[in-house]
Amino acid sequence: GQQVMQIPQYQHVQEGEDFTTYCNSSTTLSNIQWYKQRPGGHPVFLIQLVKSGEVKKQKRLTFQFGEAKKNSSLHITATQTTDVGTYFCRAGNNRKLIWGLGTSLAVNP
Amino acid sequence: EAGVTQFPSHSVIEKGQTVTLRCDPISGHDNLYWYRRVMGKEIKFLLHFVKESKQDESGMPNNRFLAERTGGTYSTLKVQPAELEDSGVYFCASSQGGGRTQPQHFGDGTRLSIL
């Protein structure tokens, strides 16, 4: 069935390095949402992308929706220890909404 | 505005016992969702209520799980009898609308451990 692949599953970076997680689908998506879950916490909505090629920024975070609306990325510039957590994509097509496996980010101070 | 609240935060029970989880959505949110996350796995959808009606229960694993939302306010998820594979964190989320573009607001989850 429909799957959303999120890569990498884990990423360990030094504070100040950049970080990117990718969400890929085999079929065209209607929208994609990104959530962040801090350790021991719950997923918190970050942003939603709807348009082909859309790019949105939140401070050091840049979110992108591919031209074909089959993939998306979340890029963090100059990571900080407060960025630690698991980042999930939640992708929608005409039939259902699917969560990615999540990318767990660890940041060394 | 109070967020989504879940009770209990943790539950440890033995295999074969019954557990009931509760979720209070944000006031005014007609849409309520239950999810489960097993360590290292994806957030798995269980079901979706619109008010008191089950809109989609395709994610419910089996008939040991029963979700209710009488009166369209809070919801309960009962597991009876609990099995080892039911362990995980059960999240509840609510949203104002039920469309695919509606962001969901999550509770802190109930960490369920079956011994």
Side-chain angles (χ1 to χ4, degrees), chain B residues 28-33 48 93-99 102-105:
Chain B
H29 281 193
D30 288 340
N31 292 270
L32 186 150
Y33 305 81
H48 170 203
S94 73
S95 64
Q96 204 152 28
Q102 292 289 322
Q104 296 185 350
H105 303 267

Side-chain angles (χ1 to χ4, degrees), chain B residues 33-73:
Chain B
Y33 305 81
W34 282 99
Y35 294 95
R36 177 172 69 186
R37 187 175 186 221
V38 176
M39 178 75 76
K41 303 273 188 183
E42 75 275 19
I43 297 172
K44 185 179 183 299
F45 166 80
L46 296 179
L47 89 160
H48 170 203
F49 280 103
V50 178
K51 297 185 180 178
E52 67 275 10
S53 300
K54 292 175 185 174
Q55 181 80 8
D56 180 357
E57 54 183 327
S58 59
M60 293 288 265
N62 51 60
N63 59 10
R64 295 186 294 102
F65 288 74
L66 175 64
E68 293 180 322
R69 194 183 180 195
T70 308
T73 53

Side-chain angles (χ1 to χ4, degrees), chain A residues 56-73:
Chain A
K56 288 187 177 180
K57 294 194 175 193
Q58 287 180 352
K59 296 181 181 178
R60 294 176 296 102
L61 276 61
T62 302
F63 304 83
Q64 196 160 6
F65 204 4
E67 293 288 343
K69 297 181 75 173
K70 289 185 177 182
N71 49 62
S72 179
S73 64

Side-chain angles (χ1 to χ4, degrees), chain A residues 37-108:
Chain A
Q37 182 177 7
R38 293 182 186 274
H42 59 268
V44 174
F45 174 78
L46 294 177
I47 209 152
Q48 174 167 262
L49 304 170
V50 180
K51 299 176 186 174
S52 166
E54 190 169 14
V55 178
K56 288 187 177 180
K57 294 194 175 193
Q58 287 180 352
K59 296 181 181 178
R60 294 176 296 102
L61 276 61
T62 302
F63 304 83
Q64 196 160 6
F65 204 4
E67 293 288 343
K69 297 181 75 173
K70 289 185 177 182
N71 49 62
S72 179
S73 64
L74 184 173
H75 179 82
I76 303 178
T77 304
T79 55
Q80 300 175 358
T81 54
T82 52
D83 296 325
V84 164
T86 301
Y87 294 84
F88 293 96
C89 62
R90 178 173 170 248
N93 60 21
N94 289 333
R95 295 180 58 203
K96 58 197 300 185
L97 290 152
I98 303 165
W99 289 85
L101 205 62
T103 296
S104 292
L105 173 64
V107 179
N108 278 347

